[in-house]
Amino acid sequence: MVCTANDLQEWKDFPKGLRVLLLDDDTTSAAEIRSKLEEMDYIVSTFCNENEALSAISSKPESFHVAIVEVSTGNNGSFKFLETAKDLPTIMISSIHCLSTMMKCIALGAVEFLRKPLSEDKLRNIWQHVVHKAFNAGGSVLPESLKPVKESVASMLQLQMENEEPRNESSAETLNVSNVHENDHMQSAGTDKYPAPSTPQLKQGGRSLDDGDCLDQTNCSTEKESGEQDGESKSVETTCGTSVAEVTAQVSPPQGLGESVIKEEDDSADGCKSESNMSPHPQNKDSLSEFGGDARNPRKASGVHSPCGTRANRKKMKVDWTPELHKKFVQAVEQLGVDQAIPSRILELMKVEGLTRHNVASHLQKYRMHRRHILPKEDDRRWPHQRDPMQRNYYPQKPVMAFPPYHSSHTLPAAQLYPVWGQPSSHPAQMWSTPGYHTWQPAESWIWKPYPGMNADAWGCPVMTPTHTPCSSFPQNPSGFDHNNGSGIYNTGIPQSPIDLYPAEELIDRVVKEAISKPWMPLPLGLKPPATESVLAELSRQGISTIPPHINTPRPY
DNA sequence: CGCTGAATAT
DNA sequence: AATATTCAGC
């Protein structure tokens, strides 16, 4: 405002002649600063009274390019200047370093907060704020990513003001505690980026301000990496994301990012976080290679891919169990047999580079928990012992629900038989298909009790009445994947065997046995009697050619 | 010691 | 809620 981009472009010996408004009621320090500034060819106007300074601005707005305002315990609470001189890039200075005060200044629009004494370096670079203002006047939109920061700062400040007076030194502590989790933003994004991005140099100035204070400490403590830390220092921060452009660039791209599988733990103030996530991971479902590549392997993840990478390598990776990965996991488990699936073997079968036994173990634990939840009691006493151990190696116990007939299930490739999540779901929660699990509730609670070994046709399908209870919907997609994210693999009316819904085989056997031994019993609710022909056909298919006469006799009761 | 699985921690 | 980490048995 005060100084436009055009002005600057014509300004040959910039920043020489830049007009600085200096407001500091400490005449000694004011004189000191003034002399330093003048040495650098800045033109300084000193004020020791806020109102005077303000009136000077209002009467001759064009008189200043940048302001340096002292925040002392005396005027600490007012911030009047800051609020009034919105258009003038204002640098707050103070000998006290209260975080809440700093925060407030920045939030109110100060471009920077410097702690006294002001070194020449700090002063020398104040022109950058003028340039920034000149070239970024108005127009900038708060990046989406920074909104949370803004909000938290805002609420924090509000809290501050409510609980205690701004000047309160101890407030810094309170403030810090409540914001530990966002320190990273605070430092890089909040303090520098949101109000007015600083240049590296300026940033350093700003940083020195924090020293000894909570901010840095917190950051360090976050970095509690045990053994393997190399000489990496945080100096990178000066390199990383300091300009608005950079910030924006780093922040927006991650959107397109489908699902990075093993990503760096986003950790403290390293503005590189988004960068790491940015690495393109075209979601080639299934490709194992995908996991072997770049950032997935902790060891391989060395910061090759990002300027800030160097410091990022060390970070522990977090495994993202994408549907693909989970699928592999499930297939491995199946291949082994649920009862014999142990982390190490699963890991072998999965062949996913970078994945550790621990990762698998953890996932397995969750997997088992889900199953347990889904298949209570019955689950315990079945599968084991029931089949030849050797057969387990071939997609065994795939409980089939009224389809396909068991005799054919062993001939189908697992992938086909148990389509798992048809497509990678963007919603991991669906992997466990909670809703569909009801389908496999124990017989006691599930009225739809298909009899394995029989074709759905033979036994009839559930009566599908739109108005039926939830249970009336055909369990063709027990896994709850009907929505199937438009992948094209959706319910065709043919029941798909959900890969991870393995109804207790024992349960099925029991039900079948029971049904066979008590043919007079009514069919489970939701089923309609099969057509006679179907039954006959099925029976003959099973080698039963004669029908016991009593089958058609009236029920014993 | 290394593995597993359950309990905790983050 | 999802993963990681820790811990007690084996």
Side-chain angles (χ1 to χ4, degrees), chain A residues 29 32 317 328 493:
Chain A
S29 104
E32 193 179 328
M317 303 300 208
K328 279 178 191 144

Side-chain angles (χ1 to χ4, degrees), chain A residues 532-553:
Chain A
T532 305
E533 310 80 64
S534 304
V535 175
L536 293 175
E538 178 62 24
L539 288 176
S540 78
R541 201 176 314 170
Q542 294 185 34
I544 302 175
S545 52
T546 58
I547 305 172
H550 63 273
I551 266 194
N552 292 317
T553 61

Side-chain angles (χ1 to χ4, degrees), chain A residues 356-402:
Chain A
T356 71
R357 195 164 46 75
H358 284 54
N359 297 142
V360 175
S362 183
H363 194 63
L364 181 61
Q365 182 175 17
K366 189 176 73 166
Y367 180 74
R368 285 169 170 160
M369 294 237 291
H370 275 272
R371 297 192 84 250
R372 205 179 309 163
H373 175 63
I374 295 339
L375 321 166
K377 320 117 195 174
E378 278 78 14
D379 210 14
D380 309 327
R381 26 159 171 159
R382 89 190 43 74
W383 317 15
H385 327 306
Q386 283 222 331
R387 63 184 69 248
D388 173 21
M390 297 314 290
Q391 292 191 328
R392 287 226 187 77
N393 297 321
Y394 308 97
Y395 322 114
Q397 54 260 88
K398 191 38 4 55
V400 186
M401 179 182 250

Side-chain angles (χ1 to χ4, degrees), chain A residues 39-53:
Chain A
E39 275 178 35
M40 300 169 205
D41 291 321
Y42 285 115
I43 296 173
V44 184
S45 301
T46 310
F47 297 85
C48 54
N49 176 293
E50 188 173 56
N51 291 326
E52 285 178 20

Side-chain angles (χ1 to χ4, degrees), chain A residues 84 130 162 236 364 478:
Chain A
T84 306
V130 179
E162 283 174 3
V236 221
L364 181 61

